[in-house]
Amino acid sequence: MRVPALVPRLRPFTSTIFAEMTALAQRTGAVNLGQGFPDTDGPVGMLEAAKAAIDGGLNQYPPGPGTPALRQAVAEHRTRYGTTYDPDTEVLVTVGATEAIAATLLALVEPGDEVVLFEPYYDSYAASVALAGATRRTVGLIEDPLTGRFGLDVAGLREAIGPKTRAVLVNTPHNPTGTVFTRAELQEVAALCVEHDLLAITDEVYEHLVFDTHEHVPLATLPGMADRTVTISSAGKTFNCTGWKIGWVCSTPELVAAVRAAKQFITFVGGAPFQPAVAHALRHEMPWVETLRTDLAAKRSRLSEGLAEAGFAVRPSEGTYFITADVRPLGFTDGAELCRALPERIGVAGVPVQVFTDHPEQWQHLVRFAFCKKDEVLDEALRRLHKLTN
């Protein structure tokens, strides 16, 4: 039987790696630092609001654009960055950020268009570009030889933009590297978008998980970008509720209407009782988020220092849930081979960075570990990782 052409276009290898690592971790009892979801719940007030919504009968389809209370809360939340959105026409609730990205690309990108991604990239980006019938162009982040930070390649971005380029997809804070793009870096992106009349699609799901003195700068706030940027975020990472799948899109009425036209035929609506709970969280639980950010910064340091003691060359993490580590000092050259061996060898699961790229040979020395876990889980993983050099 002929395999449909869409299947190879979706590049299932990354998803296969996640499934493989999860299965290995479950079979071997490995500590799973490969998957980016926390092992603790979100704020009690938010959880109680969801229970109250269920008990109150909010269990049927919500309005197509999302419940008014959540759209209003999202609009209010974005004002912290100096941006203003009409909750009725410029905010759309989605089933997580992943659906928002897919619906945006399906709505705004035509077959034959090109979309620029920064490499490494979250795996759903390539699949969504393929679903839209477009072609992806990748620009690799550049590692600073002194600090190890992965920064923007402005020259590479300029070179990747051509006559068929329709959009640039920007993820900051960045998964998997943990980089938080600086204002200066984003100004370069904005200038090129304006120069070439490009759309910008931003994945900002880690917007509140930024550490030390780093700052999250929404691309839409920069000159010339308000009318050409589709801003995407979600509740999952901010409030430790990744399983709720509540995300949102903010942009101009025309762009939001186009995204909604695509979204309504993907999931129609989602998560009715969770939407008022997330609205509550956006309005009342930001102090809890600040505590979460502080705790995650400490976990980042805990894992980073432990990995260095175990022999890895650790790259800086400025935000997100993730640390990347170079396996070469331990005598390994291929992160994918090491990740496949780790669960049975020492009982730890990680994810090779190369599976997030079109050029795996340039990234095969790096492995991603998640630190959004309880301290005792991180400590046990580090104890086992030290066995690699024993």
Side-chain angles (χ1 to χ4, degrees):
M1 180 181 294
R2 182 175 64 86
V3 176
L6 180 62
V7 174
R9 291 215 315 271
L10 292 183
R11 296 180 70 245
F13 180 64
T14 305
S15 298
T16 300
I17 280 285
F18 282 118
E20 184 179 344
M21 293 301 101
T22 300
L24 279 172
Q26 291 173 342
R27 180 166 58 82
T28 62
V31 179
N32 192 347
L33 300 187
Q35 291 185 304
F37 55 80
D39 55 9
T40 56
D41 280 333
V44 172
M46 180 188 73
L47 303 179
E48 292 297 329
K51 295 174 187 176
I54 292 172
D55 291 341
L58 293 181
N59 301 302
Q60 309 308 323
Y61 292 137
T67 59
L70 178 53
R71 286 185 278 121
Q72 181 66 46
V74 169
E76 293 169 1
H77 178 261
R78 299 309 296 185
T79 63
R80 69 180 48 230
Y81 302 116
T83 50
T84 301
Y85 295 100
D86 182 339
D88 292 327
T89 62
E90 297 182 318
V91 179
L92 172 68
V93 177
T94 61
V95 181
T98 301
E99 188 207 27
I101 292 164
T104 298
L105 288 166
L106 286 169
L108 303 177
V109 174
E110 299 289 341
D113 286 346
E114 294 181 350
V115 178
V116 178
L117 311 179
F118 294 104
E119 183 179 82
Y121 51 75
Y122 182 60
D123 59 324
S124 83
Y125 300 169
S128 296
V129 171
L131 285 168
T135 300
R136 69 181 177 277
R137 299 286 300 276
T138 60
V139 178
L141 300 184
I142 297 178
E143 183 177 354
D144 186 307
L146 296 179
T147 67
R149 178 184 184 270
F150 294 99
L152 178 68
D153 180 359
V154 177
L157 176 57
R158 181 176 292 276
E159 184 178 347
I161 295 171
K164 295 182 179 180
T165 306
R166 169 64 170 161
V168 178
L169 205 168
V170 181
N171 172 213
T172 184
H174 184 263
N175 175 13
T177 67
T179 290
V180 177
F181 285 170
T182 65
R183 182 176 295 273
E185 288 174 320
L186 291 169
Q187 286 171 338
E188 297 282 3
V189 176
L192 288 170
C193 287
V194 172
E195 177 185 346
H196 295 277
D197 192 23
L198 304 179
L199 288 171
I201 304 165
T202 64
D203 177 352
E204 303 180 23
V205 297
Y206 294 99
E207 60 183 300
H208 294 293
L209 307 186
V210 176
F211 311 133
D212 308 320
T213 60
H214 299 287
E215 174 193 20
H216 172 62
V217 179
L219 191 61
T221 64
L222 299 181
M225 296 306 295
D227 292 340
R228 66 176 67 248
T229 302
V230 178
T231 300
I232 294 168
S233 193
S234 74
K237 306 303 191 300
T238 299
F239 299 111
N240 278 15
C241 58
T242 60
W244 286 15
K245 299 301 293 179
I246 300 296
W248 47 83
V249 170
C250 297
S251 192
T252 66
E254 296 78 14
L255 293 177
V256 167
V259 176
R260 181 184 173 189
K263 178 260 186 303
Q264 68 183 339
F265 295 112
I266 301 174
T267 59
F268 186 47
V269 292
F274 300 134
Q275 293 189 32
V278 172
H280 164 87
L282 286 170
R283 288 182 169 132
H284 303 292
E285 303 291 355
M286 295 312 295
W288 181 92
V289 176
E290 179 58 25
T291 299
L292 172 67
R293 187 200 65 77
T294 301
D295 290 346
L296 283 172
K299 292 176 185 294
R300 178 272 317 257
S301 298
R302 191 186 201 98
L303 182 57
S304 177
E305 293 165 7
L307 288 171
E309 291 172 359
F312 291 89
V314 183
R315 303 299 187 256
S317 173
E318 300 168 346
T320 74
Y321 286 165
F322 305 112
I323 284 176
T324 56
D326 189 338
V327 304
R328 291 175 296 187
L330 292 166
F332 303 99
T333 59
D334 191 323
E337 290 183 3
L338 178 61
C339 285
R340 287 191 171 95
L342 281 178
E344 292 187 344
R345 182 171 173 177
I346 61 168
V348 176
V351 173
V353 171
Q354 62 188 272
V355 302
F356 299 103
T357 74
D358 288 352
H359 303 90
E361 69 284 353
Q362 299 174 17
W363 301 90
Q364 65 182 13
H365 58 290
L366 295 172
V367 171
R368 189 194 78 175
F369 295 107
F371 51 81
C372 52
K373 309 296 178 181
K374 295 177 181 177
D375 286 347
E376 55 266 32
V377 174
L378 297 177
D379 290 343
E380 178 59 22
L382 290 169
R383 185 188 69 79
R384 297 181 185 189
L385 284 166
H386 273 76
K387 296 178 183 180
L388 285 172
T389 54
N390 294 336

